[in-house]
Amino acid sequence: MKNEEFKKRYLAARRGIIARDFSALNDMQRQAVMATEGPVLLLAGAGSGKTTVLINRVANLLRYGRASDSDELPAGATEDDLSFLEGYLAAPSDAGRARAVGLCALEPVDPWRVIAITFTNKAADELRARLEKMLGAAAGDVWAMTFHSACARILRRSGDAIGIPRSFTIYDTSDSAAVMKRVLKELELDEKMFPPKAILAEISRAKDAVISPDAFMEAAEKGYDPRKKYIGRAYQEYARRLRAAGALDFDDLILFTVKLLAESKETREYYQRLFRYVLVDEYQDTNHLQYLLAGLLAGGNDNICVVGDDDQSIYKFRGATIENILSFEKRYANARTIKLEQNYRSTSHILSAANAVIKHNRERKGKELWTALGEGEKLRLCVAENDDEEAAFVAARILGGMADGMKWSDFAVLYRMNAQSNRLEYAFKRNGIPYRVIGGTRFFDRAEIKDVMSYLCVVQNPEDDLRLIRIVNNPPRGIGAATLERVRAAASAAKRPIIEAMRSPESFGLGSAPRLAAFAALIGDLRTAAASMPLDEFYDVLLEKSGYLASLGDSDEALGRGENIRELRSNIVSFLGRAPEPTLAAFLDETALYTDIDGLDPGADSAVMMTMHSAKGLEFPWVFIVGMEDGIFPSLRSIGEAEEMEEERRLCYVALTRAKKRLFLTAARRRMLFGHTSSNALSRFLDEIPPEDIDRPPAQRPAAVSYDFERESREPDPEYMEHRRRETEREQHFADRSRTYAPRESGPVRSAPPRASRPAPAGAPQQAAPLLSLAPGDAVAHTAFGRGVVKSVVPMPGDALLTVTFEKAGEKRLMLRAASAFMKKA
């Protein structure tokens, strides 16, 4: 047989056998799985099965290597091999399976040579679990983890090349805020003028741009903005404190990994050889640092596969850069793009609405979601008189769904801002609907958990002054605040960690301090114990020796806190059962990088409330999107800004595509937020939904809603009105405000607390100041913000959006009607 004919037949048989392994996938999914070599961009639409594609792609790499994407034959391939493969392809058998895989494989990859980076622990855990189910325990060695987790592992192994101690601890957002507050206090900067959160956000942007504290300060000193100089000083001191404590914040994990790979040729080449294949999920959400990291890891052979959806890029406020995915083909000239457009989640009406909305964006690659699930129900729009009635409508629909046999967990309510959950929670409590609010107090943010975790952190890294100060007198050890301040000052003057001053107080000029020395000895004993026993056993020892659990007492509150502390032990046991590196450092890394969504228990039978941003990656049979009003969604700050509006529209696309079967959109003619009642036009996004996809009763057609709004006559919804009648006859019960609520079987009933103010009846005259006539360039004076100049005026139905640059307060966006009462021309 001629060589060319032999090669052609062998390759055809091999690809046919490999393709059969993935026959459950659709054509485009299978193409994505089998395109293993070089840079690949997978444009994966919402609900298109991207996780399934990632799992099967990794399975293909581990089982067959590069065989499905190569024209190279294995060394020593024979006519007998070809005959076997062609026979197996025609009639596969279990007996011939092992030989067929062996003859097809071309450099199959060891699991630890594949890194699959995701954004959430939940996604990483799912990836690992499904890989192990498909390929066995060996698949657990794949680096399936978040950006931060991968960087933490790299820095613990190799960070000493750039001076990062292997015992570093990770500061979460609350830890960073605590450090910054201390910095601002010592720099004598007013927190009202320099909010810690705002300063940390500025520092985060600097780190994303790879700007060091000294470089930031140098640029600030050359500029004309005095505020930048203060921020620069805070940045320098914040970085110094973290360095002294041997701590890294979330941004540092990626920044220093990029620095390590960029500056250490030996380290860079090691990891580029280690990782033959780099996969990055949710690529549209990467920031500049993450973009650099992915490029550095894949730099050895450019075998990088990024999965994402430019239409779901919604985290600009976190530094995400949509340009990363839009310019992928420019960054990698030989890149292949594969579109996954078949949706397995939603019905046709939902997808048609989402497609129509997102088409109004210009900055996108373009794709069209479709489904084989049928048309389903049309979207339903409800415009309520106020936010109380809006919440009652949502509750009524959920109760109706339950009457039809659904579960509480089938329902999700999405909103643009957390403040919107207020009236919804009251309505759910009144109607006995169990619910969870994603974004409330996390388990790891509870005081008792922070205390015990601080003990673990100090055992891991005694130089962590922040955590040490938290626990030194917790439980009470007779070490007062004045003593602590003297120890802190002495250690700071000597530029040494506080623990050293506690170990030998005399050498730091503190005299005899037996209580300080005893605490330092306790930490030493705990470190010795931690090095010699499993983590779960050590946890029991820590609770006993520290005396923390015993100090809680036996009150009802203390019992609850004790239960939380014991639940933390369950987390440790669970971690030990799945962790590739079951160490204290690895456990602390995992918990520091834990997010709200990671804690979403799919087995909990309760309705869910969350922001649209938090809902990304989730799906529910019924979804309610509340607050479909201009100024709320899209947000007020985005109106008139083309780039911001595109992000809001992508957020709308994400929200719409969370629904599987039913999708309800609601708005209120009047809404109270932050103590003020306002009326807004219906969201412009509603006008972008095709009429054939949405059930919009005649009286609820799009209309400009202004402060002069008069009630439209409309046909009442019988189901809604009946629900309202029953509700008013029922005594109302409100439990104390909780972020997780389950109805009580019995107990005292109380009426709903009165609202701070009630909207005027529809049609009642509104008291308003005379409207100012303003144009760009006009000078104005505001009672709160002082003097300023109008930058822009954007007309809106019954109102206008002003952008004013004030001399002291900076740039503000104000609604003309509201501002007219507090502002005049200067």
Side-chain angles (χ1 to χ4, degrees), residues 426-432 723-735 741 747-753:
Y426 283 136
F428 279 31
K429 288 175 181 176
R430 283 199 301 269
N431 291 282
H723 168 75
R724 291 288 287 162
R725 184 190 66 77
R726 292 196 309 268
E727 187 180 60
T728 55
E729 292 175 352
R730 186 187 307 148
E731 287 187 301
Q732 310 299 309
H733 167 65
F734 277 89
Y741 171 79
V749 285
R750 293 179 287 164
S751 60

PDB file of all heavy atoms in Angstrom, residues 426-432 723-735 741 747-753:
ATOM      1  N   TYR A 426     -39.681  41.268  52.995  1.00  0.00           N
ATOM      2  CA  TYR A 426     -40.899  41.428  53.784  1.00  0.00           C
ATOM      3  C   TYR A 426     -42.036  40.614  53.170  1.00  0.00           C
ATOM      4  O   TYR A 426     -42.795  39.938  53.868  1.00  0.00           O
ATOM      5  CB  TYR A 426     -41.292  42.903  53.856  1.00  0.00           C
ATOM      6  CG  TYR A 426     -40.459  43.711  54.827  1.00  0.00           C
ATOM      7  CD1 TYR A 426     -39.990  44.964  54.477  1.00  0.00           C
ATOM      8  CD2 TYR A 426     -40.155  43.215  56.088  1.00  0.00           C
ATOM      9  CE1 TYR A 426     -39.218  45.712  55.365  1.00  0.00           C
ATOM     10  CE2 TYR A 426     -39.385  43.944  56.972  1.00  0.00           C
ATOM     11  CZ  TYR A 426     -38.928  45.201  56.606  1.00  0.00           C
ATOM     12  OH  TYR A 426     -38.168  45.925  57.495  1.00  0.00           O
ATOM     13  N   ALA A 427     -42.177  40.690  51.843  1.00  0.00           N
ATOM     14  CA  ALA A 427     -43.261  39.960  51.178  1.00  0.00           C
ATOM     15  C   ALA A 427     -43.086  38.454  51.339  1.00  0.00           C
ATOM     16  O   ALA A 427     -44.059  37.718  51.559  1.00  0.00           O
ATOM     17  CB  ALA A 427     -43.312  40.339  49.699  1.00  0.00           C
ATOM     18  N   PHE A 428     -41.867  37.968  51.249  1.00  0.00           N
ATOM     19  CA  PHE A 428     -41.626  36.533  51.378  1.00  0.00           C
ATOM     20  C   PHE A 428     -41.905  36.068  52.801  1.00  0.00           C
ATOM     21  O   PHE A 428     -42.479  35.000  53.021  1.00  0.00           O
ATOM     22  CB  PHE A 428     -40.184  36.209  50.980  1.00  0.00           C
ATOM     23  CG  PHE A 428     -39.974  36.101  49.487  1.00  0.00           C
ATOM     24  CD1 PHE A 428     -40.723  36.857  48.603  1.00  0.00           C
ATOM     25  CD2 PHE A 428     -39.016  35.241  48.964  1.00  0.00           C
ATOM     26  CE1 PHE A 428     -40.535  36.774  47.237  1.00  0.00           C
ATOM     27  CE2 PHE A 428     -38.825  35.137  47.600  1.00  0.00           C
ATOM     28  CZ  PHE A 428     -39.581  35.909  46.737  1.00  0.00           C
ATOM     29  N   LYS A 429     -41.526  36.869  53.784  1.00  0.00           N
ATOM     30  CA  LYS A 429     -41.791  36.495  55.177  1.00  0.00           C
ATOM     31  C   LYS A 429     -43.291  36.487  55.453  1.00  0.00           C
ATOM     32  O   LYS A 429     -43.809  35.601  56.134  1.00  0.00           O
ATOM     33  CB  LYS A 429     -41.073  37.465  56.115  1.00  0.00           C
ATOM     34  CG  LYS A 429     -39.563  37.282  56.135  1.00  0.00           C
ATOM     35  CD  LYS A 429     -38.900  38.347  56.998  1.00  0.00           C
ATOM     36  CE  LYS A 429     -37.393  38.165  57.001  1.00  0.00           C
ATOM     37  NZ  LYS A 429     -36.694  39.222  57.752  1.00  0.00           N
ATOM     38  N   ARG A 430     -44.005  37.477  54.930  1.00  0.00           N
ATOM     39  CA  ARG A 430     -45.456  37.531  55.139  1.00  0.00           C
ATOM     40  C   ARG A 430     -46.139  36.299  54.594  1.00  0.00           C
ATOM     41  O   ARG A 430     -47.142  35.834  55.123  1.00  0.00           O
ATOM     42  CB  ARG A 430     -46.039  38.781  54.434  1.00  0.00           C
ATOM     43  CG  ARG A 430     -45.810  40.083  55.164  1.00  0.00           C
ATOM     44  CD  ARG A 430     -46.780  41.147  54.670  1.00  0.00           C
ATOM     45  NE  ARG A 430     -46.674  41.411  53.252  1.00  0.00           N
ATOM     46  CZ  ARG A 430     -45.893  42.338  52.715  1.00  0.00           C
ATOM     47  NH1 ARG A 430     -45.112  43.064  53.488  1.00  0.00           N
ATOM     48  NH2 ARG A 430     -45.875  42.535  51.415  1.00  0.00           N
ATOM     49  N   ASN A 431     -45.603  35.775  53.498  1.00  0.00           N
ATOM     50  CA  ASN A 431     -46.263  34.665  52.813  1.00  0.00           C
ATOM     51  C   ASN A 431     -45.637  33.306  53.102  1.00  0.00           C
ATOM     52  O   ASN A 431     -45.977  32.317  52.460  1.00  0.00           O
ATOM     53  CB  ASN A 431     -46.261  34.926  51.307  1.00  0.00           C
ATOM     54  CG  ASN A 431     -47.173  36.072  50.925  1.00  0.00           C
ATOM     55  OD1 ASN A 431     -48.385  35.916  50.859  1.00  0.00           O
ATOM     56  ND2 ASN A 431     -46.598  37.251  50.703  1.00  0.00           N
ATOM     57  N   GLY A 432     -44.727  33.268  54.073  1.00  0.00           N
ATOM     58  CA  GLY A 432     -44.151  31.986  54.475  1.00  0.00           C
ATOM     59  C   GLY A 432     -43.277  31.350  53.416  1.00  0.00           C
ATOM     60  O   GLY A 432     -43.186  30.124  53.342  1.00  0.00           O
ATOM     61  N   HIS A 723     -54.868  37.221  45.414  1.00  0.00           N
ATOM     62  CA  HIS A 723     -53.763  37.059  46.371  1.00  0.00           C
ATOM     63  C   HIS A 723     -53.703  38.251  47.330  1.00  0.00           C
ATOM     64  O   HIS A 723     -53.534  38.087  48.542  1.00  0.00           O
ATOM     65  CB  HIS A 723     -52.434  36.919  45.623  1.00  0.00           C
ATOM     66  CG  HIS A 723     -51.243  37.047  46.520  1.00  0.00           C
ATOM     67  ND1 HIS A 723     -50.846  36.046  47.374  1.00  0.00           N
ATOM     68  CD2 HIS A 723     -50.386  38.080  46.719  1.00  0.00           C
ATOM     69  CE1 HIS A 723     -49.791  36.438  48.058  1.00  0.00           C
ATOM     70  NE2 HIS A 723     -49.487  37.674  47.679  1.00  0.00           N
ATOM     71  N   ARG A 724     -53.869  39.464  46.796  1.00  0.00           N
ATOM     72  CA  ARG A 724     -53.841  40.655  47.637  1.00  0.00           C
ATOM     73  C   ARG A 724     -54.985  40.645  48.652  1.00  0.00           C
ATOM     74  O   ARG A 724     -54.823  41.050  49.802  1.00  0.00           O
ATOM     75  CB  ARG A 724     -53.917  41.918  46.762  1.00  0.00           C
ATOM     76  CG  ARG A 724     -52.674  42.166  45.923  1.00  0.00           C
ATOM     77  CD  ARG A 724     -51.507  42.609  46.778  1.00  0.00           C
ATOM     78  NE  ARG A 724     -51.660  43.957  47.254  1.00  0.00           N
ATOM     79  CZ  ARG A 724     -51.002  44.481  48.265  1.00  0.00           C
ATOM     80  NH1 ARG A 724     -50.147  43.741  48.932  1.00  0.00           N
ATOM     81  NH2 ARG A 724     -51.204  45.731  48.642  1.00  0.00           N
ATOM     82  N   ARG A 725     -56.157  40.170  48.234  1.00  0.00           N
ATOM     83  CA  ARG A 725     -57.296  40.110  49.148  1.00  0.00           C
ATOM     84  C   ARG A 725     -56.990  39.172  50.310  1.00  0.00           C
ATOM     85  O   ARG A 725     -57.231  39.500  51.481  1.00  0.00           O
ATOM     86  CB  ARG A 725     -58.541  39.641  48.392  1.00  0.00           C
ATOM     87  CG  ARG A 725     -59.808  39.647  49.252  1.00  0.00           C
ATOM     88  CD  ARG A 725     -60.948  38.961  48.541  1.00  0.00           C
ATOM     89  NE  ARG A 725     -60.706  37.541  48.361  1.00  0.00           N
ATOM     90  CZ  ARG A 725     -60.840  36.645  49.351  1.00  0.00           C
ATOM     91  NH1 ARG A 725     -61.204  37.031  50.562  1.00  0.00           N
ATOM     92  NH2 ARG A 725     -60.598  35.376  49.125  1.00  0.00           N
ATOM     93  N   ARG A 726     -56.462  37.974  49.977  1.00  0.00           N
ATOM     94  CA  ARG A 726     -56.143  37.016  51.033  1.00  0.00           C
ATOM     95  C   ARG A 726     -55.069  37.575  51.969  1.00  0.00           C
ATOM     96  O   ARG A 726     -55.108  37.375  53.177  1.00  0.00           O
ATOM     97  CB  ARG A 726     -55.653  35.697  50.422  1.00  0.00           C
ATOM     98  CG  ARG A 726     -56.716  34.921  49.674  1.00  0.00           C
ATOM     99  CD  ARG A 726     -56.274  33.479  49.446  1.00  0.00           C
ATOM    100  NE  ARG A 726     -54.939  33.407  48.859  1.00  0.00           N
ATOM    101  CZ  ARG A 726     -54.718  33.355  47.548  1.00  0.00           C
ATOM    102  NH1 ARG A 726     -55.752  33.396  46.707  1.00  0.00           N
ATOM    103  NH2 ARG A 726     -53.493  33.276  47.083  1.00  0.00           N
ATOM    104  N   GLU A 727     -54.112  38.257  51.375  1.00  0.00           N
ATOM    105  CA  GLU A 727     -52.989  38.763  52.155  1.00  0.00           C
ATOM    106  C   GLU A 727     -53.437  39.813  53.172  1.00  0.00           C
ATOM    107  O   GLU A 727     -52.975  39.840  54.307  1.00  0.00           O
ATOM    108  CB  GLU A 727     -51.927  39.348  51.223  1.00  0.00           C
ATOM    109  CG  GLU A 727     -50.647  39.733  51.957  1.00  0.00           C
ATOM    110  CD  GLU A 727     -49.621  40.312  51.007  1.00  0.00           C
ATOM    111  OE1 GLU A 727     -49.933  41.340  50.380  1.00  0.00           O
ATOM    112  OE2 GLU A 727     -48.538  39.747  50.909  1.00  0.00           O
ATOM    113  N   THR A 728     -54.327  40.686  52.776  1.00  0.00           N
ATOM    114  CA  THR A 728     -54.782  41.741  53.690  1.00  0.00           C
ATOM    115  C   THR A 728     -55.626  41.176  54.817  1.00  0.00           C
ATOM    116  O   THR A 728     -55.748  41.800  55.868  1.00  0.00           O
ATOM    117  CB  THR A 728     -55.586  42.806  52.935  1.00  0.00           C
ATOM    118  OG1 THR A 728     -56.662  42.180  52.238  1.00  0.00           O
ATOM    119  CG2 THR A 728     -54.717  43.547  51.943  1.00  0.00           C
ATOM    120  N   GLU A 729     -56.231  40.006  54.622  1.00  0.00           N
ATOM    121  CA  GLU A 729     -57.029  39.388  55.675  1.00  0.00           C
ATOM    122  C   GLU A 729     -56.161  38.631  56.684  1.00  0.00           C
ATOM    123  O   GLU A 729     -56.607  38.293  57.774  1.00  0.00           O
ATOM    124  CB  GLU A 729     -58.036  38.411  55.055  1.00  0.00           C
ATOM    125  CG  GLU A 729     -59.122  39.102  54.237  1.00  0.00           C
ATOM    126  CD  GLU A 729     -60.030  38.093  53.552  1.00  0.00           C
ATOM    127  OE1 GLU A 729     -59.716  36.887  53.600  1.00  0.00           O
ATOM    128  OE2 GLU A 729     -61.040  38.507  52.969  1.00  0.00           O
ATOM    129  N   ARG A 730     -54.932  38.353  56.274  1.00  0.00           N
ATOM    130  CA  ARG A 730     -54.048  37.521  57.102  1.00  0.00           C
ATOM    131  C   ARG A 730     -53.228  38.386  58.054  1.00  0.00           C
ATOM    132  O   ARG A 730     -52.783  39.459  57.699  1.00  0.00           O
ATOM    133  CB  ARG A 730     -53.119  36.732  56.181  1.00  0.00           C
ATOM    134  CG  ARG A 730     -52.253  35.719  56.911  1.00  0.00           C
ATOM    135  CD  ARG A 730     -51.236  35.109  55.952  1.00  0.00           C
ATOM    136  NE  ARG A 730     -51.912  34.592  54.775  1.00  0.00           N
ATOM    137  CZ  ARG A 730     -51.380  34.572  53.567  1.00  0.00           C
ATOM    138  NH1 ARG A 730     -50.194  35.078  53.365  1.00  0.00           N
ATOM    139  NH2 ARG A 730     -52.050  34.064  52.556  1.00  0.00           N
ATOM    140  N   GLU A 731     -53.033  37.903  59.279  1.00  0.00           N
ATOM    141  CA  GLU A 731     -52.134  38.626  60.180  1.00  0.00           C
ATOM    142  C   GLU A 731     -50.714  38.472  59.647  1.00  0.00           C
ATOM    143  O   GLU A 731     -50.326  37.419  59.147  1.00  0.00           O
ATOM    144  CB  GLU A 731     -52.234  38.039  61.584  1.00  0.00           C
ATOM    145  CG  GLU A 731     -53.532  38.396  62.296  1.00  0.00           C
ATOM    146  CD  GLU A 731     -53.485  37.939  63.726  1.00  0.00           C
ATOM    147  OE1 GLU A 731     -53.313  36.718  63.903  1.00  0.00           O
ATOM    148  OE2 GLU A 731     -53.609  38.758  64.619  1.00  0.00           O
ATOM    149  N   GLN A 732     -49.932  39.573  59.781  1.00  0.00           N
ATOM    150  CA  GLN A 732     -48.596  39.586  59.201  1.00  0.00           C
ATOM    151  C   GLN A 732     -47.577  39.194  60.265  1.00  0.00           C
ATOM    152  O   GLN A 732     -47.682  39.623  61.417  1.00  0.00           O
ATOM    153  CB  GLN A 732     -48.276  40.980  58.650  1.00  0.00           C
ATOM    154  CG  GLN A 732     -49.362  41.555  57.749  1.00  0.00           C
ATOM    155  CD  GLN A 732     -49.573  40.683  56.542  1.00  0.00           C
ATOM    156  OE1 GLN A 732     -48.637  40.337  55.851  1.00  0.00           O
ATOM    157  NE2 GLN A 732     -50.801  40.316  56.286  1.00  0.00           N
ATOM    158  N   HIS A 733     -46.620  38.421  59.828  1.00  0.00           N
ATOM    159  CA  HIS A 733     -45.571  37.988  60.748  1.00  0.00           C
ATOM    160  C   HIS A 733     -44.207  38.363  60.181  1.00  0.00           C
ATOM    161  O   HIS A 733     -43.903  38.011  59.058  1.00  0.00           O
ATOM    162  CB  HIS A 733     -45.620  36.478  60.962  1.00  0.00           C
ATOM    163  CG  HIS A 733     -44.384  35.955  61.647  1.00  0.00           C
ATOM    164  ND1 HIS A 733     -44.037  36.296  62.928  1.00  0.00           N
ATOM    165  CD2 HIS A 733     -43.415  35.122  61.210  1.00  0.00           C
ATOM    166  CE1 HIS A 733     -42.909  35.683  63.242  1.00  0.00           C
ATOM    167  NE2 HIS A 733     -42.518  34.976  62.226  1.00  0.00           N
ATOM    168  N   PHE A 734     -43.444  39.075  60.972  1.00  0.00           N
ATOM    169  CA  PHE A 734     -42.087  39.416  60.569  1.00  0.00           C
ATOM    170  C   PHE A 734     -41.105  38.881  61.600  1.00  0.00           C
ATOM    171  O   PHE A 734     -41.153  39.274  62.763  1.00  0.00           O
ATOM    172  CB  PHE A 734     -41.903  40.945  60.485  1.00  0.00           C
ATOM    173  CG  PHE A 734     -42.378  41.515  59.200  1.00  0.00           C
ATOM    174  CD1 PHE A 734     -43.690  41.924  59.048  1.00  0.00           C
ATOM    175  CD2 PHE A 734     -41.523  41.624  58.133  1.00  0.00           C
ATOM    176  CE1 PHE A 734     -44.142  42.442  57.873  1.00  0.00           C
ATOM    177  CE2 PHE A 734     -41.957  42.147  56.931  1.00  0.00           C
ATOM    178  CZ  PHE A 734     -43.269  42.562  56.804  1.00  0.00           C
ATOM    179  N   ALA A 735     -40.232  37.987  61.176  1.00  0.00           N
ATOM    180  CA  ALA A 735     -39.126  37.577  62.037  1.00  0.00           C
ATOM    181  C   ALA A 735     -38.053  38.659  61.980  1.00  0.00           C
ATOM    182  O   ALA A 735     -38.115  39.547  61.154  1.00  0.00           O
ATOM    183  CB  ALA A 735     -38.561  36.242  61.542  1.00  0.00           C
ATOM    184  N   TYR A 741     -34.039  32.675  55.547  1.00  0.00           N
ATOM    185  CA  TYR A 741     -35.311  32.672  56.260  1.00  0.00           C
ATOM    186  C   TYR A 741     -36.076  31.396  55.962  1.00  0.00           C
ATOM    187  O   TYR A 741     -36.226  30.993  54.814  1.00  0.00           O
ATOM    188  CB  TYR A 741     -36.159  33.875  55.835  1.00  0.00           C
ATOM    189  CG  TYR A 741     -37.584  33.825  56.361  1.00  0.00           C
ATOM    190  CD1 TYR A 741     -37.872  34.168  57.667  1.00  0.00           C
ATOM    191  CD2 TYR A 741     -38.623  33.407  55.531  1.00  0.00           C
ATOM    192  CE1 TYR A 741     -39.161  34.109  58.156  1.00  0.00           C
ATOM    193  CE2 TYR A 741     -39.921  33.353  56.011  1.00  0.00           C
ATOM    194  CZ  TYR A 741     -40.188  33.700  57.315  1.00  0.00           C
ATOM    195  OH  TYR A 741     -41.462  33.639  57.781  1.00  0.00           O
ATOM    196  N   GLY A 747     -45.762  30.783  66.648  1.00  0.00           N
ATOM    197  CA  GLY A 747     -45.078  31.881  67.315  1.00  0.00           C
ATOM    198  C   GLY A 747     -45.917  33.137  67.251  1.00  0.00           C
ATOM    199  O   GLY A 747     -46.958  33.188  66.595  1.00  0.00           O
ATOM    200  N   PRO A 748     -45.473  34.168  67.933  1.00  0.00           N
ATOM    201  CA  PRO A 748     -46.230  35.413  67.943  1.00  0.00           C
ATOM    202  C   PRO A 748     -46.240  36.051  66.563  1.00  0.00           C
ATOM    203  O   PRO A 748     -45.313  35.890  65.789  1.00  0.00           O
ATOM    204  CB  PRO A 748     -45.450  36.282  68.944  1.00  0.00           C
ATOM    205  CG  PRO A 748     -44.059  35.731  68.918  1.00  0.00           C
ATOM    206  CD  PRO A 748     -44.228  34.269  68.699  1.00  0.00           C
ATOM    207  N   VAL A 749     -47.318  36.751  66.293  1.00  0.00           N
ATOM    208  CA  VAL A 749     -47.421  37.436  65.015  1.00  0.00           C
ATOM    209  C   VAL A 749     -47.376  38.931  65.250  1.00  0.00           C
ATOM    210  O   VAL A 749     -47.912  39.434  66.225  1.00  0.00           O
ATOM    211  CB  VAL A 749     -48.732  37.075  64.266  1.00  0.00           C
ATOM    212  CG1 VAL A 749     -48.647  35.699  63.690  1.00  0.00           C
ATOM    213  CG2 VAL A 749     -49.945  37.167  65.190  1.00  0.00           C
ATOM    214  N   ARG A 750     -46.703  39.610  64.340  1.00  0.00           N
ATOM    215  CA  ARG A 750     -46.602  41.063  64.415  1.00  0.00           C
ATOM    216  C   ARG A 750     -46.943  41.644  63.064  1.00  0.00           C
ATOM    217  O   ARG A 750     -46.760  40.994  62.035  1.00  0.00           O
ATOM    218  CB  ARG A 750     -45.174  41.479  64.798  1.00  0.00           C
ATOM    219  CG  ARG A 750     -44.779  41.092  66.202  1.00  0.00           C
ATOM    220  CD  ARG A 750     -43.352  41.523  66.466  1.00  0.00           C
ATOM    221  NE  ARG A 750     -42.418  40.672  65.740  1.00  0.00           N
ATOM    222  CZ  ARG A 750     -41.146  41.004  65.540  1.00  0.00           C
ATOM    223  NH1 ARG A 750     -40.690  42.150  65.967  1.00  0.00           N
ATOM    224  NH2 ARG A 750     -40.344  40.195  64.905  1.00  0.00           N
ATOM    225  N   SER A 751     -47.375  42.839  63.086  1.00  0.00           N
ATOM    226  CA  SER A 751     -47.674  43.492  61.815  1.00  0.00           C
ATOM    227  C   SER A 751     -46.391  43.986  61.189  1.00  0.00           C
ATOM    228  O   SER A 751     -45.379  44.158  61.850  1.00  0.00           O
ATOM    229  CB  SER A 751     -48.634  44.665  62.029  1.00  0.00           C
ATOM    230  OG  SER A 751     -48.048  45.607  62.899  1.00  0.00           O
ATOM    231  N   ALA A 752     -46.459  44.224  59.895  1.00  0.00           N
ATOM    232  CA  ALA A 752     -45.284  44.717  59.180  1.00  0.00           C
ATOM    233  C   ALA A 752     -44.921  46.096  59.684  1.00  0.00           C
ATOM    234  O   ALA A 752     -45.787  46.909  59.965  1.00  0.00           O
ATOM    235  CB  ALA A 752     -45.588  44.782  57.681  1.00  0.00           C
ATOM    236  N   PRO A 753     -43.626  46.376  59.841  1.00  0.00           N
ATOM    237  CA  PRO A 753     -43.237  47.712  60.304  1.00  0.00           C
ATOM    238  C   PRO A 753     -43.609  48.751  59.269  1.00  0.00           C
ATOM    239  O   PRO A 753     -43.551  48.489  58.069  1.00  0.00           O
ATOM    240  CB  PRO A 753     -41.705  47.588  60.433  1.00  0.00           C
ATOM    241  CG  PRO A 753     -41.333  46.467  59.543  1.00  0.00           C
ATOM    242  CD  PRO A 753     -42.488  45.522  59.571  1.00  0.00           C
TER     243      PRO A 753
END
